Amino acid sequence: MEYQIIFGNTPSKSNCYKIITMNGHASLSKTKALKEYENKFYIQCDKYRNAGITGYFEIHLEGVLSVRT
């Protein structure tokens, strides 16, 4: 099994979107924190970028807590 380490704080799902109004209709927009995390994830995830994955795949996430003092 290959491992890819992605650094950063994953934003919680409930706080990732905000309600905006476009042309008189309510819509959802990504928060700044989510956009920044997606950018950082994309930059760090070089093993699988352009890998041509076309079918189902499995991903296992392992949380690591780092405490700085």
Side-chain angles (χ1 to χ4, degrees):
M1 183 182 302
E2 290 187 47
Y3 289 94
Q4 174 80 47
I5 297 173
I6 304 296
F7 297 98
N9 295 322
T10 308
S12 67
K13 185 177 178 182
S14 61
N15 295 328
C16 287
Y17 294 92
K18 58 186 172 186
I19 299 172
I20 61 169
T21 304
M22 289 178 45
N23 301 325
H25 297 284
S27 185
L28 291 177
S29 175
K30 294 178 183 178
T31 61
K32 182 180 175 187
L34 178 58
K35 289 178 188 178
E36 288 174 358
Y37 180 76
E38 286 179 337
N39 248 351
K40 290 176 184 178
F41 186 95
Y42 180 78
I43 290 168
Q44 293 180 55
C45 193
D46 57 347
K47 277 188 184 180
Y48 304 104
R49 191 181 317 131
N50 301 322
I53 299 171
T54 57
Y56 293 108
F57 64 93
E58 211 172 79
I59 185 169
H60 299 272
L61 303 175
E62 182 178 319
V64 176
L65 178 62
S66 174
V67 178
R68 295 182 184 168
T69 57

